């Protein structure tokens, strides 16, 4: 059994760019990309509601999964970032830096529970 190599944000962005590069249409415009992302978030919400909420699927509805919907979101986020020449690793690192500084004392850390 072979181990599957994890992909970096860079790998994902390159793979998506290679895929989109096959087509004359290229990337959608930013507003269309945002609309597409919103659609995908709605599909994710629907799946979460079916699995954890009070709205079961109809018998006629196609099977889907939260995993598939998260995958769709990763794809569209990579498309959006590529179309605007944004490096997702840099974007993510900046956000984590913000959370690790601004929000470092916002929530109770697990090690603090032992002191009680």
């Amino acid at each position: 059994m072979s181990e599957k190599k994890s992909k970096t944000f860079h790998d994902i962005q390159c793979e998506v760019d290679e895929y989109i590069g096959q087509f004359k249409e290229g990337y959608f415009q930013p507003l269309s990309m945002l609309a597409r992302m919103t659609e995908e978030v709605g599909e994710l919400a629907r799946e979460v509601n079916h699995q954890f909420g009070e709205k079961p699927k109809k018998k006629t509805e196609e099977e889907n999964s939260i995993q598939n919907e998260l995958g769709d979101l990763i794809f569209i986020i990579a498309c959006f970032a590529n179309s605007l020449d944004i490096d997702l690793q840099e974007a993510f690192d900046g956000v984590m830096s913000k959370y690790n500084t601004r929000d470092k004392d916002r929530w109770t850390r697990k090690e603090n529970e032992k002191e009680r």
Side-chain angles (χ1 to χ4, degrees):
M1 193 160 139
S2 65
E3 259 186 58
K4 199 172 185 181
K5 181 184 176 255
S6 295
K7 293 179 182 178
T8 65
F9 284 121
H10 178 77
D11 295 336
I12 291 168
Q13 285 189 259
C14 286
E15 187 174 342
V16 167
D17 196 56
E18 190 175 301
Y19 174 78
I20 296 295
Q22 303 176 81
F23 307 107
K24 289 180 181 180
E25 293 82 1
Y27 291 106
F28 295 155
Q29 293 298 311
L31 195 55
S32 295
M33 202 84 69
L34 182 60
R36 175 105 191 275
M37 190 181 309
T38 303
E39 289 174 16
E40 295 299 344
V41 169
E43 290 175 17
L44 174 62
R46 185 175 178 86
E47 283 305 310
V48 170
N49 195 22
H50 287 317
Q51 287 189 32
F52 302 104
E54 287 121 29
K55 186 179 178 196
K57 282 191 175 196
K58 297 175 188 171
K59 291 178 181 162
T60 57
E61 284 185 279
E62 198 174 300
E63 265 313 300
N64 203 347
S65 71
I66 292 171
Q67 179 176 321
N68 288 343
E69 296 307 333
L70 287 171
D72 285 343
L73 274 169
I74 290 169
F75 178 81
I76 192 64
I77 288 168
C79 285
F80 208 162
N82 287 352
S83 73
L84 298 173
D85 199 28
I86 292 171
D87 182 316
L88 285 173
Q89 187 66 59
E90 286 180 24
F92 181 77
D93 289 346
V95 167
M96 287 309 298
S97 176
K98 176 178 68 175
Y99 283 118
N100 285 319
T101 54
R102 181 191 73 188
D103 294 337
K104 68 181 174 64
D105 297 320
R106 189 174 206 168
W107 293 280
T108 306
R109 296 194 180 271
K110 289 183 178 183
E111 62 267 13
N112 291 342
E113 290 177 1
K114 294 176 186 174
E115 294 173 5
R116 291 181 189 181

